[in-house]
Amino acid sequence: MSRRSLLVAGGAVAATVSAAGGATAQAGEKKPPQGSGNGGDSRRARIDVHHHFTAPAWVDWAEREGLVRREELLWWARWDLDSTLALMDRVGIATAVLNPTMQDRYRSAAQAREGLTVVFEAMSGLMAAHPGRFAVLAPAVLDHPEVTTWALRRAYDDLGAVGVSVKANYNGVYLGDPAYDRFLAELDDRAAVLFTHPLDLPGGPPGVPTVPGIPNFMCDFLLDTTRAAVNLIRTGTLDRHPHLSVVLPHAGGFLPQIATRMAAFGDFCTPPLDAARVRDHLHRFFYDTAGPLAPSGTLVATAGADRVLFGTDWPAASADVITGYTVPAVETDPAFTDQQRRGINRDSALRLMPALRRALR
């Protein structure tokens, strides 16, 4: 795994956040629009499955270790509790699933274990201080397989992790490649939920736009997710690991929009993809609403509304983006029924991740 200078474990709306002045200053602004839908109590009890967490204690530790320079951190790495709780209360998020960021910066296995210990202690402290408000994902450190095995055990057994976080590709090797089979077998043994996340496309300098003037998170991030999803389908990964569930961020990137294209041209893949296999796998992924979600007719027709989970991309997405775009995209889209909105906001996450019920107690 390369040590990219900007691991943006967050989202497709980053420029809007930056232009709006960052997340913290906006968390107390105008009330969220309620939309025309009636999601019932679920609108006040949402579960946010796409919430990036840079532990302040980890930043202190990483700066001492020479891994980061605090003044160079962008807004998405400046997570703080007060603005987070303000945002959650503002949009009715009962529980946020914390996805630790910047876990590809370690120089050695020993340093990775030390850094992850700081992260785990921070997440444990948050859950203890704010019961029911936070759940956690286990971060995978695939540069150091033995550390990843230790981290999975620590996160699941000690913190009650509800899933695992991993990037769409490492050094240009995408999820679905057999190189990941040992790691995925560990997850399959736990019937784990794997949350993927995109970054810059392989081959270019970190953080440099592939197309001048177009930030990579605008298009390239979505393609990164799409490539991973198509490769997972092509290689039959979910067949080899049948107890594994995969959540694709940002509504699956471009995957729903190219579903028919995949079915039509699957014979050109190696090995060939038949249309039935494509349709089957599109209904086996889960998709979150972070990004924010585009009009959802194609996603619902492709995958089904019961595969859609609420996600915000906080703090990469500002409070104004979340209240002005993300929440209305769920609440006002005619593609969703009121019952489906309840599933998106809360119920589907609880079905997918039974461990969440323990976190909510």
Side-chain angles (χ1 to χ4, degrees):
M1 189 191 317
S2 61
R3 291 184 176 86
R4 299 182 175 186
S5 59
L6 296 175
L7 175 61
V8 61
V13 290
T16 310
V17 185
S18 182
T24 302
Q26 299 180 53
E29 294 175 10
K30 58 194 177 188
K31 294 180 180 179
Q34 293 301 302
S36 59
N38 178 10
D41 289 341
S42 68
R43 288 194 308 197
R44 295 182 292 277
R46 290 185 170 99
I47 295 172
D48 179 6
V49 304
H50 193 141
H51 183 118
H52 299 294
F53 176 61
T54 307
W58 184 90
V59 174
D60 293 340
W61 173 86
E63 190 168 44
R64 291 194 301 270
E65 293 287 313
L67 299 178
V68 302
R69 296 180 62 180
R70 188 182 304 270
E71 64 272 15
E72 295 177 355
L73 294 177
L74 298 182
W75 71 95
W76 54 263
R78 299 180 183 274
W79 189 96
D80 72 275
L81 179 61
D82 290 344
S83 62
T84 294
L85 290 174
L87 181 278
M88 291 171 65
D89 291 342
R90 181 177 168 189
V91 299
I93 296 170
T95 303
V97 180
L98 303 177
N99 185 345
T101 66
M102 296 198 293
Q103 300 306 305
D104 67 343
R105 299 193 172 209
Y106 304 118
R107 300 190 184 108
S108 68
Q111 188 179 62
R113 189 180 291 244
E114 183 178 345
L116 286 170
T117 297
V118 175
V119 173
F120 291 148
E121 289 175 352
M123 293 194 297
S124 177
L126 276 175
M127 290 189 293
H130 303 276
R133 300 309 306 268
F134 298 105
V136 303
L137 299 181
V141 188
L142 297 186
D143 268 355
H144 307 291
E146 72 285 1
V147 176
T148 294
T149 297
W150 167 83
L152 292 176
R153 187 164 56 246
R154 173 80 186 271
Y156 273 93
D157 299 347
D158 296 346
L159 278 73
V162 300
V164 179
S165 172
V166 70
K167 293 193 299 183
N169 86 84
Y170 290 84
N171 296 327
V173 180
Y174 276 88
L175 291 175
D177 189 276
Y180 295 97
D181 276 355
R182 178 181 172 184
F183 165 64
L184 295 181
E186 290 187 74
L187 303 190
D188 190 68
D189 287 344
R190 292 182 178 272
V193 181
L194 182 67
F195 288 79
T196 69
H197 203 282
L199 199 62
D200 298 336
L201 296 178
V208 176
T210 303
V211 179
I214 302 177
N216 288 342
F217 58 76
M218 188 70 71
C219 303
D220 291 14
F221 277 28
L222 304 182
L223 179 55
D224 200 37
T225 293
T226 305
R227 284 178 170 180
V230 173
N231 207 42
L232 287 166
I233 297 171
R234 182 188 68 86
T235 58
T237 298
L238 298 185
D239 293 330
R240 295 198 307 278
H241 307 289
H243 306 297
L244 178 68
S245 300
V246 176
V247 180
L248 302 176
H250 311 131
F254 303 130
L255 186 67
Q257 284 70 37
I258 67 167
T260 301
R261 186 177 182 86
M262 288 177 61
F265 298 113
D267 285 346
F268 290 88
C269 292
T270 305
L273 283 174
D274 64 70
R277 181 183 185 83
V278 171
R279 287 192 297 270
D280 173 60
H281 279 71
L282 290 169
H283 286 85
R284 293 168 69 175
F285 292 121
F286 291 82
Y287 307 78
D288 77 35
T289 67
L293 188 69
S296 304
T298 300
L299 176 60
V300 172
T302 298
D306 61 334
R307 314 299 284 187
V308 183
L309 309 170
F310 182 79
T312 64
D313 221 343
W314 175 264
S318 70
D320 278 354
V321 168
I322 292 166
T323 59
Y325 292 90
T326 306
V327 170
V330 175
E331 291 302 310
T332 67
D333 195 318
F336 299 130
T337 67
D338 291 341
Q339 181 177 357
Q340 288 169 341
R341 290 188 182 94
R342 286 191 290 272
I344 292 166
N345 284 329
R346 182 177 179 86
D347 294 348
S348 293
L350 291 174
R351 284 195 299 272
L352 176 63
M353 297 173 282
L356 267 173
R357 295 189 182 278
R358 294 192 292 274
L360 297 179
R361 290 173 185 166

